[in-house]
Amino acid sequence: FQYLKRFDQGCDLDTFRYEALSVEGSPAECLQLFLLHCGIVDPSWAELRNFTWFLNIQLGDCEASVFCNPDFVRDTLRGF
């Protein structure tokens, strides 16, 4: 949710890191963003769960990768 919210606001996601245990927005706002970005017109709860699970895994891997660390790559891979 934190990434999708900032993406919609046009923020620079290259320097953002997930803030564990922090609460942002309401459950309704969270659901609205998931529905907007999941790519399915009328998703089931299982499809929403799979979307959020996959997105969470991908973003976690991205944050853990040295190649996505702005302190390491500087501006050589901007927007990657």
Side-chain angles (χ1 to χ4, degrees), residues 1-3 5-6 16 19 22-27 29-30:
F1 173 76
Q2 293 175 11
Y3 271 97
K5 182 177 177 182
R6 283 162 180 77
F16 175 72
E19 300 168 28
S22 68
V23 177
E24 294 183 16
S26 67
E29 183 182 11
C30 181

Side-chain angles (χ1 to χ4, degrees), residues 6-78:
R6 283 162 180 77
F7 175 77
D8 280 353
Q9 293 171 345
C11 297
D12 180 12
L13 297 178
D14 290 342
T15 57
F16 175 72
R17 293 290 177 257
Y18 168 70
E19 300 168 28
L21 304 177
S22 68
V23 177
E24 294 183 16
S26 67
E29 183 182 11
C30 181
L31 182 57
Q32 183 180 17
L33 275 180
F34 289 159
L35 289 170
L36 180 66
H37 289 281
C38 78
I40 300 172
V41 176
D42 187 17
S44 67
W45 285 112
E47 289 167 327
L48 282 176
R49 186 222 172 265
N50 290 338
F51 167 72
T52 57
W53 174 79
F54 179 77
L55 186 62
N56 188 50
I57 295 294
Q58 294 300 309
L59 292 172
D61 288 349
C62 181
E63 283 188 0
S65 172
V66 68
F67 298 106
C68 296
N69 183 335
D71 296 329
F72 177 73
V73 297
R74 302 287 179 219
D75 61 352
T76 59
L77 297 174
R78 182 140 184 89

